[in-house]
Every structure is written in structure tokens, then in C-alpha cells.
Amino acid sequence: MDIVVCIKRVPATDTTIKIAADGKSIEPAGVSFELNAYDEFALEQALRIKEQLGSGTVTVVTIGSKDAQKELRDTLARGADKAVLLTTDQWVFDGASTAAALAAWIKSVPCNLVLCGRQAVDSDNNQLPANLAARLGFACVTEVAKLELADGTFTAERDIEGAREVVTCKTPAVISCQKGLNEPRYANLKGIMAAKKKPLEEAAASLPAPALEIVSLTLPPARAAGKILGTGVDAVPALIAALRDEAKVL
Amino acid sequence: MSNIVVIAEVRGGQLKRTSLEAVTAGLQLAQKSGGKVIAVACGAGLDAAAAELAKSGVHKVVAVDGPTFANYSGDAYARAIAEQVKAAAATAVLMVHTAMGKDLLPRVSALLEGSVVTDVVEVSCDGGTFGARKPVFAGKATMTVNAKKAPFCATLRPNNFAAAEGSGSAEVSKTAPPAGDLLSVVKEVIASSGGRTPLQEAKVVVSGGRGLKEAAHFKLVEDLVAAFGPGVAAVGASRAVVDAGWRPHREQVGQTGKVVSPPLYIAIGISGAIQHLAGMRTARTIVAINKDADAPIFKVADYGIVGDAFEIVPALTKAIAEIVAGK
């Protein structure tokens, strides 16, 4: 099976966000970037499927700046066969355009399965996998927490409100991965050495005219400082009174 | 004149209450765009749900109703809805940001080459241009965008718009699902035990963290949730306790879990890592109980109690239970 894994380089989750002078982007100074956490589950699942079948390829693709070479090289060290960087200097936030550019590229390579993280933790859109699938005409299951492949059919489980859905589909398919799907492996020294010889190709991303424009990026209003009502059990009546009479939530 | 399509979510013949929040947002947009609101539902046996939608204040209801649609299929539902959006000449499509909404609306947007923005807390229409405001970086920042391509497709954060309460009587038109293969099919829906309240729909979220010391002590959190009565409160958890395997990931609040904004959020034994704060800082009222007076959680909490959760929480549970019983 030829598997494509879509990844994104994002600010680390412990980053304090500051807004840049243009009022439309984040201030990059002092921000450390990392592989989007959910994409680690997608890569791991791709490697496991290849191991299960004993054949196939795992190609990792991203749209981003040249800096994303670092994250791509990491995926090669963990076991991917090949990496492709579709370059752009813009912040990739416009889901429809990203999906269009990725679909155009995927159509140009052998691919039966696309694996993605459920969402990138910067733009928090959680829309790319389903959007991409519709453009490719592939089956799609999103936010998958358990996945099995037998006789060419995927059985996927996903959490919905108050229940769990069991969904089946065949290839070609797009599957987006939720935390809990697997335990991602990390690169070992052998993998890191091997990654240096693996192909990392670059091409310009063919992004269409934007579907969205950013008007502004702002910080949420700071919460007013709260009240410490006291210590220990003795403070419980004061809390009940505050919730009932002041906050009016009881 | 720009018509608005609102996609209603129906499961097992029942209209999801949050769909009426999308109707509210649709009516807001229609007032600005000068168009009509068309509610579209997919499923099998939609009569009751369609009748409920017809009362909500929308101008028309389309029920794509047939046995092949008994179970959700993202690809097949998307094709049916895209057809209805075209038929309605709609330039905006709204749905709630539920498991189905996140899965379905991006496909509709792709089939129609539109724009898409998700988990939206505000929608606008200004001089014919649709726009939206949404949290990004798990709520550490807010992005405002304008659509440059039609249709403008947006999923709406639950619990953020009031549910529409109309007394209308819109026309209901019923149509059969379009022919074609279903690429993905839901084979089974396994209800979680105990009829748990979904985290993002709960009026009260009680979250526990590492301060509870071990998994079994989450009983304290569960008892407090139960004290609020059925269907009101839900259990949440910090990333630390989910990673430790104490609680399932579906309960995780924060940047790699769920973002919640209930009227009341109670954090027990949670220090307040930046990733956790991102997931709950928009709750209307925040209560923190922690033994460390310097814990960052107290910086966002409206009310704090410093001390031993094992003493404080049972007392709080008892007091809440008495109030609920007295109602």
C-alpha cells in the first residue's frame, strides 16, 4: 500500500502566543516549533500498516516554509521512506486552499491511503482530512481512535457525543488520527543516521487563490483576577454563596 | 439576496438540540444578507425532526429521507447536501461543530469549492461578505476572517448561540437520497455506559488533575458531577492524568483534548498548565480547588479555595446535592 502522511510544523503547545505588529499573525521570535502532536499518531499508524502488510511505501508531505525540513527529517528518522516539502512563505491557515494544494499533489503520486492528524494545533480547524477526501473522491473516517485493516477493509472507531461509532471503508481512503490510536515511536540513532540518506524533495505548493483572508488576530481578553475565598472546608459555604448569589450558576 | 443553508443533525430520528443553535446563527446571517434560511436534514424517518425544524423559525425544511441514509455516511450525506445548497442558491452553509459537523461540512465545502472555517463563535455578514471569528491555538488567540469564496461554510462551537425557539410553520419538502455508492458506512453506534453527558454540551464541567494522586480518587469528581443531577455535569481531566492512563482521552480538556466553555467549570487538583488553561478559559465561571496557593489555575479562577481536595470536595458535593434536592 502506498501511504501518504500529511504533517504540519506548529508552535509547541507550551508556547505563549504574542501577536505580531501586523495584527494578523503571531510574533515568531522566541517560539519553538514542533511536529503537530496528532500527526505523530498518523505517522505511527502508517508505519504499522506497512509493517503489517510487509510491503508498501510511506511518504510524508507538508506545506510550509523551508524550516519544516527539520520536522520532515524527523519523520524520516522514525521510519518514513520519503519526504516532500511543498513550499510557501504564508501561514497555512486557509483549510480549503491547503486541501486543494495537497489534493493536486496527491493526484500526481501513487497513493491508496492518506493519514493525517485530526487537526493542527495552530489553526485548530479539524477540517483538512474530510475536505481532502472529498476532493480526491476517497472514502474518509475522521478522528479515529482505533483502526484495524483486514482483507482490504478498514474498521475504524471514533468517539461521537455520548457514543462510539464503528465505521468501515475500503481504499482509497483518508483517515484522520485521534490521540489514543497508538503509541508513537521516536527516532533512534540508527534511524537518524539512515534519514540523512533518504530523499527529501521540494517543490512549490500550488495554492489556489485564497478562500479566506485574515482580518485580525487578537489575544482573548484577560480574565479579571479572582478571589481566594479561604482555605479548607470552612470556605465551602462562601463558595456556594458566591456561585448562587454572585455568579448565579446554581 | 443570499440564502443560508443550516444543516441539522439527526441521530436515530431525533433532532440534536444543538442544531437549533445553528438555526439562530442562520437567522442572524439571513437578516443581514436579506436571504432565507433553509434547514436540510439527512436520515431515515425524519418526519418528527422535520416538524420540529419547521417550527424553529426557518423559512423551509428539506428532509433527504430514505433507508440508505439510516446510518451516517459522510461522503453520501455530503453529496446530498451539496445538491440542496445548489438548489437553494445558498451562499452560506452552517452546522454545529459536533463529531458529525466536523466530518461533514468540510466535504460539502470541498464539493462546492467554497471556503471553510470551523469552531466559530461569531458569524457576520457585512456588505455581502461573510465573516467569522474563531479561537486558534486552542483559545490562546482569536482569529477573525472574511470569506473570499462562496459558499462560506462554517461550523459553530456548541453552547455559544442560543437555541432557536420559534413558533413558525415552514414548508417541509421531502426528497429521496441521491443514488450512488456509499464509500464509508457506520456499522454500529455503541452508546457509552450510564448515559454520560457529553463534555462539550455539559452545563457544568468538573475536572480532576494529578492532585487527586491516583485514578481511584476520581470518585470524588464523579460524585460531585452526580450531585448536579442527571444530564447537567460531565467529568473532565487534565492531560497529565490522561497520559497516565487514569482517564480516557475523550475527557481531556486542553490543547490536545477538548475546548469547553460551560457556564461553570470546577478544577480540582489541577495546577493549570498553559495547555489546560487554553481549553477552559472561556468558561463563564471558574472555580479552582488546589493545595498550592501559587498554582497558575488561581490566576484564571473566579473563585478559589486553597486546601486539601479530599476534605473540600465531599463538603462541596454535599452542599450542591442539598441545593439540587431543594429545587
Side-chain angles (χ1 to χ4, degrees):
Chain A
M1 192 172 298
D2 293 309
I3 306 172
V4 168
V5 180
C6 303
I7 68 150
K8 191 172 186 185
R9 169 186 161 88
V10 296
T13 54
D14 59 359
T15 304
T16 302
I17 297 295
K18 294 191 185 109
I19 308 297
D22 68 358
K24 294 180 181 185
S25 57
I26 64 164
E27 174 56 55
V31 175
S32 68
F33 287 81
E34 63 185 17
L35 175 60
N36 180 47
Y38 295 107
D39 302 345
E40 297 192 34
F41 304 114
L43 174 63
E44 178 62 32
Q45 201 61 32
L47 298 173
R48 287 185 190 194
I49 290 171
K50 184 183 163 188
E51 285 160 6
Q52 179 192 338
L53 299 176
S55 65
T57 59
V58 175
T59 304
V60 179
V61 63
T62 191
I63 300 181
S65 71
K66 300 236 180 206
D67 295 330
Q69 283 174 352
K70 176 173 152 283
E71 283 69 30
L72 287 173
R73 200 58 81 181
D74 176 37
T75 66
L76 293 172
R78 295 190 204 206
D81 300 305
K82 183 181 163 183
V84 176
L85 174 55
L86 302 174
T87 52
T88 175
D89 290 333
Q90 296 156 24
W91 178 32
V92 180
F93 72 95
D94 168 4
S97 301
T98 314
L102 280 172
W105 179 79
I106 289 170
K107 281 177 187 165
S108 75
V109 298
C111 174
N112 327 93
L113 176 65
V114 180
L115 290 168
C116 308
R118 75 162 176 147
Q119 73 188 60
V121 300
D122 56 353
S123 51
D124 281 334
N125 268 322
N126 198 332
Q127 73 81 37
L128 179 96
N131 195 314
L132 183 59
R135 288 170 194 273
L136 294 169
F138 284 17
C140 178
V141 192
T142 55
E143 303 199 293
V144 170
K146 192 176 170 205
L147 184 67
E148 273 165 21
L149 169 63
D151 303 326
T153 299
F154 286 106
T155 303
E157 295 186 15
R158 61 192 297 261
D159 287 320
I160 62 170
E161 292 76 16
R164 184 165 263 221
E165 254 178 9
V166 184
V167 190
T168 60
C169 71
K170 290 188 187 300
T171 57
V174 178
I175 288 171
S176 87
C177 303
Q178 172 66 294
K179 185 175 174 177
L181 176 61
N182 53 44
E183 199 60 52
R185 71 193 72 182
Y186 292 98
N188 56 26
L189 188 62
K190 193 168 156 238
I192 293 167
M193 297 308 287
K196 291 180 179 165
K197 291 182 188 139
K198 289 179 179 173
L200 195 165
E201 294 171 5
E202 282 181 32
S206 56
L207 288 158
L212 294 175
E213 68 174 356
I214 297 182
V215 178
S216 67
L217 192 69
T218 54
L219 295 180
R223 286 188 83 98
K227 276 183 260 183
I228 300 281
L229 298 172
T231 52
V233 179
D234 297 345
V236 170
L239 174 60
I240 292 289
L243 292 177
R244 191 180 49 207
D245 305 330
E246 202 172 87
K248 301 196 191 315
V249 286
L250 290 183
Chain B
M1 195 195 82
S2 291
N3 290 335
I4 318 293
V5 161
V6 171
I7 306 172
E9 179 169 344
V10 181
R11 286 191 183 270
Q14 281 220 309
L15 179 68
K16 280 210 68 146
R17 300 294 305 163
T18 47
S19 296
L20 296 173
E21 298 176 13
V23 170
T24 299
L27 291 169
Q28 276 176 17
L29 282 185
Q31 218 170 33
K32 301 254 180 65
S33 75
K36 290 189 159 50
V37 177
I38 298 99
V40 178
C42 291
L46 291 175
D47 289 354
E52 202 177 333
L53 283 167
K55 279 192 221 146
S56 69
V58 300
H59 302 92
K60 190 183 171 185
V61 179
V62 178
V64 187
D65 195 337
T68 55
F69 271 18
N71 284 334
Y72 175 63
S73 168
D75 48 278
Y77 277 31
R79 272 189 287 123
I81 291 164
E83 270 181 30
Q84 294 304 325
V85 172
K86 276 192 226 164
T91 49
V93 187
L94 304 177
M95 191 171 180
V96 178
H97 194 66
T98 56
M100 191 192 285
K102 289 182 264 191
D103 191 84
L104 181 55
L105 195 63
R107 305 180 198 236
V108 174
S109 159
L111 294 176
L112 297 169
E113 289 286 347
S115 50
V116 58
V117 53
T118 60
D119 198 18
V120 159
V121 293
E122 205 177 290
V123 286
S124 64
C125 176
D126 194 0
T129 299
F130 290 105
R133 225 158 54 82
K134 69 159 285 172
V136 288
F137 302 100
K140 293 178 201 164
T142 307
M143 187 167 82
T144 305
V145 292
N146 277 342
K148 308 277 281 178
K149 282 184 186 167
F152 159 74
C153 300
T155 60
L156 313 171
R157 178 171 284 197
N159 263 335
N160 197 68
F161 292 85
E165 288 175 38
S167 53
S169 55
E171 169 207 350
V172 176
S173 108
K174 212 160 149 175
T175 173
D181 291 337
L182 276 54
L183 299 178
S184 65
V185 183
V186 173
K187 288 287 175 202
E188 198 184 351
V189 178
I190 306 161
S192 17
S193 56
R196 233 180 267 119
T197 307
L199 194 57
Q200 282 154 304
E201 293 170 19
K203 297 274 179 269
V204 180
V205 174
V206 185
S207 288
R210 219 164 3 197
L212 289 169
K213 298 201 174 74
E214 58 180 273
H217 294 156
F218 256 78
K219 177 87 172 43
L220 284 180
V221 173
E222 285 166 354
D223 288 349
L224 180 50
V225 162
F228 281 97
V232 176
V235 176
S238 71
R239 175 176 174 169
V241 304
V242 170
D243 285 351
W246 297 2
R247 302 301 295 184
H249 175 247
R250 65 166 183 274
E251 292 179 358
Q252 186 184 323
V253 172
Q255 192 155 9
T256 50
K258 293 192 168 78
V259 176
V260 297
S261 49
L264 176 60
Y265 187 89
I266 304 175
I268 300 169
I270 292 177
S271 62
I274 186 168
Q275 297 96 329
H276 187 79
L277 300 183
M280 40 66 83
R281 56 172 297 145
T282 55
R284 200 159 77 222
T285 301
I286 297 172
V287 172
I289 298 168
N290 201 296
K291 68 174 178 355
D292 175 9
D294 295 323
I297 192 80
F298 287 119
K299 294 208 170 67
V300 300
D302 299 285
Y303 306 111
I305 299 182
V306 179
D308 185 353
F310 298 98
E311 291 172 11
I312 297 163
V313 177
L316 180 60
T317 300
K318 188 162 167 278
I320 297 280
E322 280 165 10
I323 290 174
V324 170
K327 266 183 187 166

